[in-house]
Amino acid sequence: MDKLMNNHWFMKIIALLLAFMLYLSVTLEETGSSSSPFNSSSRSGSTSTSNEETQTIQDVPVTAYFDDDKYIVSGLPETVDITLKGSKSNIKLQRDVKVYANLENLKPGNHQVKLHHNIDDGLSVEIDPKTVQVTIEGKVSKKFPLEVSLASDQIKSGYVAGTPSVSPKSVVVTGGKSQIESISSVKALVEEDDADSTIKQQAKVVAFDRNLNKLNVDINPEFVQVNIPIKRESKSVPLKFEASGTPSEGVEVTSIEPQTKEAVIYGDEDVLKSVSEISEIPVDVSDIRGTETVEVNVPLPEGIKRVSPESVKVKVNTSEGSTKEEEVKEDEKETVEKETTKPEETTTEEEEKEQEKEDEEETNSTRTISGVSLSIGGQSDSFLYQMLTPSNGTISISATGPKDTIQSLSAGDISASVSASGYEAGTYTLPISVSGPSGVQITPNTSTAKVEITAKEQEEEEPPPEEEEEQQGEQTTNYEQQQEQNPANSE
């Protein structure tokens, strides 16, 4: 065996046989029915003859070469289709097809650029499209304030969203100059459905143009922390009914007595303030005789989302009328009875109660008092508290009680406050609590107040003496202005 291996003629024959076998292998591949790897892809198609094959590759990614630290490129397609034509063996060797646009030497502006490929010269190559229109712009960064996007249909019926808080409050948007100039709003999109409790989540930030189209720009940070208080917003209002329809002949409606005199309405704070009662609720008395109890639906005032109860029972009292002849006889009968009988010396128990009620109404009085100071209770040393509404920190109240007490009542005798205990940084609508002297009913003119809570920052260095004097002067001026605007408080 060693002799054969050392014989150069033997080695030449072996080499010739190997070369012939390789030739046969290539020839069989070109004339046989074996498929290209592109054929196995659902994204490509091919046509072939005995010596050539045409192969189409779809959705080839397009890469742009440029300085992405300085510029933004728009108009470049994400993918293109590319068609290859040539021998099967050459097409088969194209494993990693790339298409690119060389923009490195182009200046900002609009350009018609040709797309290039990395395919060998042995193949015919067609790119669709061959050229594209691109726009090169200098990269611009700008800070935008954040808005929180939460639609009303994302909140459960009967609940309302309070003032949202977002951290951070602004983001930096980077893009082409034209993109930045077209930004109308930057919003944190809250993903929630039927929310009935405080929302706390990481929300994605998206930039929109004036037509609410999303813009393809870089946003830093891309996600922000959003907190939105969700609560029931409601208040009680009186119900007032009135007769509707025409009573039967001879029937007169004497009274309408609802079993429920108040209802709770739910809605946004501004709408609730505008609704003080639900009045003119119709009660159909057309077919009522004597005393009947009917169920009446409570209408929903404009802007109110829900009312509870939705219907109430109402007792309708009527009396049967008499003819003129009967009235004359009744009058004559009463006259005779008066002449022949002595007047009763004592009143009935029912008349006494009615008299007591009238006496009580005569001794009671109602008065409106303004300038009642509204304080914030439950404060924490870690936060600062500011009353947003009412802006002057005072409210008006309605006081009902004994005349003497009401006449001598002043704003200083009334205590009004909201409790901020347990609340973190944010803006909240808090219920107002009031109290006054014993025996006096106090009702505030508004049921809620808006309070802003902010975290205290680290103590700053003491300002120079000149700045301290300026600050003291500003504080003095502000105090004087407040005294001029609220003379009642100064008194």
Side-chain angles (χ1 to χ4, degrees), residues 15-276:
L16 181 61
L17 289 173
L18 291 174
F20 182 70
M21 292 173 63
L22 181 61
Y23 170 76
L24 289 177
S25 175
V26 172
T27 303
L28 288 173
E29 283 186 359
E30 291 182 352
T31 59
S33 59
S34 61
S35 62
S36 166
F38 295 120
N39 286 340
S40 62
S41 173
S42 62
R43 300 180 302 150
S44 62
S46 67
T47 59
S48 63
T49 63
S50 58
N51 296 321
E52 287 190 342
E53 182 175 84
T54 299
Q55 197 87 62
T56 299
I57 311 171
Q58 297 176 338
D59 299 331
V60 179
V62 179
T63 303
Y65 295 108
F66 65 98
D67 188 351
D68 57 1
D69 291 333
K70 294 182 180 179
Y71 302 107
I72 293 289
V73 174
S74 58
L76 194 69
E78 293 184 1
T79 62
V80 295
D81 296 339
I82 185 169
T83 301
L84 308 179
K85 187 175 182 181
S87 67
K88 289 184 178 181
S89 58
N90 283 347
I91 292 177
K92 188 176 181 180
L93 295 175
Q94 305 306 316
R95 298 290 184 183
D96 187 17
V97 178
K98 293 181 179 179
V99 176
Y100 62 92
N102 187 1
L103 312 177
E104 290 183 342
N105 297 324
L106 299 181
K107 296 181 179 180
N110 297 322
H111 303 276
Q112 189 82 14
V113 298
K114 183 179 179 180
L115 298 181
H116 302 277
H117 58 81
N118 67 334
I119 299 172
D120 295 339
D121 295 336
L123 294 173
S124 172
V125 181
E126 290 186 7
I127 302 175
D128 183 23
K130 296 179 180 179
T131 59
V132 292
Q133 182 79 22
V134 299
T135 300
I136 302 176
E137 297 180 280
K139 185 175 283 189
V140 177
S141 295
K142 185 178 179 181
K143 182 181 286 188
F144 286 88
L146 264 180
E147 301 176 19
V148 176
S149 177
L150 179 68
S152 58
D153 58 4
Q154 293 178 266
I155 305 173
K156 192 172 182 179
S157 177
Y159 292 79
V160 294
T163 303
S165 62
V166 59
S167 178
K169 295 182 179 180
S170 60
V171 294
V172 176
V173 182
T174 302
K177 182 180 179 182
S178 61
Q179 289 179 308
I180 299 301
E181 290 177 348
S182 68
I183 293 177
S184 174
S185 61
V186 180
K187 298 183 179 182
L189 304 183
V190 176
E191 296 182 356
E192 195 68 37
D193 188 28
D194 276 351
D196 58 3
S197 60
T198 299
I199 298 173
K200 295 183 179 181
Q201 65 175 236
Q202 289 281 326
K204 182 177 177 61
V205 182
V206 178
F208 296 90
D209 64 11
R210 294 171 183 82
N211 296 321
L212 297 181
N213 298 314
K214 293 182 180 181
L215 299 174
N216 185 20
V217 291
D218 294 329
I219 301 177
N220 185 30
E222 186 179 359
F223 290 87
V224 294
Q225 180 65 38
V226 174
N227 293 338
I228 307 175
I230 304 295
K231 59 181 180 179
R232 286 185 178 272
E233 193 72 47
S234 63
K235 79 172 186 179
S236 296
V237 293
L239 301 176
K240 295 187 177 180
F241 298 84
E242 64 177 18
S244 68
T246 304
S248 301
E249 184 177 356
V251 175
E252 180 183 357
V253 178
T254 58
S255 65
I256 297 177
E257 302 174 1
Q259 292 184 1
T260 303
K261 296 183 179 181
E262 289 188 345
V264 180
I265 56 175
Y266 300 87
D268 295 333
E269 181 183 2
D270 295 339
V271 178
L272 289 177
K273 287 182 179 179
S274 65
V275 180
S276 59

Side-chain angles (χ1 to χ4, degrees), residues 399-460:
T400 301
K403 284 186 177 181
D404 295 341
T405 304
I406 295 300
Q407 292 301 323
S408 62
L409 201 63
S410 65
D413 299 324
I414 309 299
S415 173
S417 65
V418 295
S419 176
S421 177
Y423 287 90
E424 298 181 352
T427 303
Y428 303 93
T429 300
L430 304 177
I432 297 175
S433 300
V434 293
S435 61
S438 177
V440 177
Q441 181 181 355
I442 307 296
T443 305
N445 66 335
T446 178
S447 60
T448 59
K450 187 175 289 186
V451 176
E452 182 179 37
I453 305 174
T454 56
K456 287 186 178 180
E457 298 180 356
Q458 293 182 351
E459 296 184 358
E460 300 179 354

